[in-house]
Amino acid sequence: EDQVTQSPEALRLQEGESSSLNCSYTVSGLRGLFWYRQDPGKGPEFLFTLYSAGEEKEKERLKATLTKKESFLHITAPKPEDSATYLCAVHEGTALIFGKGTTLSVSS
Amino acid sequence: NAGVTQTPKFRILKIGQSMTLQCTQDMNHNYMYWYRQDPGMGLKLIYYSVGAGITDKGEVPNGYNVSRSTTEDFPLRLELAAPSQTSVYFCASSLTGGERTYNSPLHFGNGTRLTVT
């Protein structure tokens, strides 16, 4: 059973059309939930860390929130340059366990 | 700071050949990791290291070996390449990790794309 599940797998938006990406997790004793952005041919780039339910973090058009069982990455008025794969990960033991990602495409 | 640097960027191997993927970081991080990323499968942990001289297996270690003689370097060795090892390999590092309550994020290199034919 996957410990980190992301949905949807792919999302197509028009520029300015806000939406949310979901990350649900099943690990107990959460020691950090991480959001990354990955562009084609590049390594994942760190966006946010959330540690406790109710916590929120923002960066430009992105806002990450956390509950006891899931996290959302809200994208407000996206632009084409927000197109990327967004990865969610949680700490389990020594390293991060990653979800399979959501590929976001924003068209103008 | 260059961050995490991986070489080579691309490599094609024949079945049975061996090679070493290089990884170095200049952030003085204690923790280093090797992940592989296959289409639709997400990132899977191969090996990790919590400091110089200490390494341990991750989720998919078979067919790979690592060493950590310095804080900066964490090479990944493939001894007998197989088609199943065709993947993109990412090295990462972090300041803290393990069983801590709060863990710092991983910083990734830009990967090595390996094809085994």
Side-chain angles (χ1 to χ4, degrees), chain A residues 2 30-32 34 36 38 41-46 49 51 87 91-100, chain B residues 31 33 35 37 40-43 45 48 50 90 97-110:
Chain A
D2 288 346
L30 184 70
R31 292 192 298 280
F34 299 80
Y36 285 83
Q38 187 174 22
K42 300 286 189 181
E45 176 186 349
F46 171 69
T49 309
Y51 290 110
L87 303 172
H91 245 286
E92 177 69 15
T94 300
L96 291 183
I97 306 296
F98 282 84
K100 295 178 181 178
Chain B
Y31 291 77
Y33 314 83
Y35 284 87
Q37 188 175 41
M41 296 299 293
L43 285 150
L45 182 66
Y48 65 93
V50 301
F90 288 101
E99 299 297 324
R100 294 169 184 266
T101 302
Y102 300 105
N103 285 295
S104 58
L106 272 61
H107 298 264
F108 285 85
N110 281 324

Side-chain angles (χ1 to χ4, degrees), chain B:
Chain B
N1 284 354
V4 178
T5 302
Q6 293 184 239
T7 57
K9 287 184 168 52
F10 304 94
R11 185 72 186 267
I12 298 174
L13 282 182
K14 294 189 184 303
I15 295 171
Q17 288 185 322
S18 53
M19 76 164 292
T20 300
L21 282 64
Q22 301 291 346
C23 174
T24 187
Q25 53 95 6
D26 62 359
M27 296 174 283
N28 202 31
H29 286 173
N30 286 324
Y31 291 77
M32 294 188 75
Y33 314 83
W34 275 104
Y35 284 87
R36 60 177 287 173
Q37 188 175 41
D38 300 303
M41 296 299 293
L43 285 150
K44 301 291 185 184
L45 182 66
I46 305 171
Y47 271 95
Y48 65 93
S49 169
V50 301
I54 307 170
T55 63
D56 208 345
K57 297 177 181 178
E59 183 181 357
V60 290
N62 291 345
Y64 308 94
N65 278 300
V66 293
S67 60
R68 184 97 181 270
S69 57
T70 66
T71 299
E72 295 79 18
D73 301 307
F74 190 40
L76 178 71
R77 179 87 178 156
L78 283 70
E79 289 295 347
L80 291 170
S84 60
Q85 294 178 305
T86 294
S87 188
V88 182
Y89 292 85
F90 288 101
C91 178
S93 70
S94 65
L95 185 61
T96 63
E99 299 297 324
R100 294 169 184 266
T101 302
Y102 300 105
N103 285 295
S104 58
L106 272 61
H107 298 264
F108 285 85
N110 281 324
T112 294
R113 185 176 295 274
L114 175 67
T115 301
V116 182
T117 61

Side-chain angles (χ1 to χ4, degrees), chain A:
Chain A
E1 180 183 342
D2 288 346
Q3 295 172 289
V4 181
T5 303
Q6 291 188 247
S7 62
E9 289 184 15
L11 181 63
R12 291 184 178 275
L13 299 174
Q14 292 289 322
E15 185 172 3
E17 180 186 1
S18 301
S19 187
S20 297
L21 283 54
N22 177 264
C23 171
S24 61
Y25 60 92
T26 58
V27 296
S28 59
L30 184 70
R31 292 192 298 280
L33 184 140
F34 299 80
W35 281 100
Y36 285 83
R37 170 191 170 125
Q38 187 174 22
D39 293 301
K42 300 286 189 181
E45 176 186 349
F46 171 69
L47 292 173
F48 305 109
T49 309
L50 302 165
Y51 290 110
S52 55
E55 190 175 358
E56 299 181 352
K57 294 266 180 81
E58 287 188 67
K59 180 180 180 179
E60 295 181 359
R61 296 175 292 282
L62 300 177
K63 179 179 177 180
T65 63
L66 182 65
T67 71
K68 288 188 177 179
K69 292 190 176 182
E70 58 189 353
S71 177
F72 292 93
L73 184 65
H74 306 278
I75 303 175
T76 302
K79 299 182 177 182
E81 53 262 42
D82 294 320
S83 297
T85 296
Y86 291 86
L87 303 172
C88 167
V90 297
H91 245 286
E92 177 69 15
T94 300
L96 291 183
I97 306 296
F98 282 84
K100 295 178 181 178
T102 294
T103 299
L104 173 66
S105 299
V106 182
S107 55
S108 57

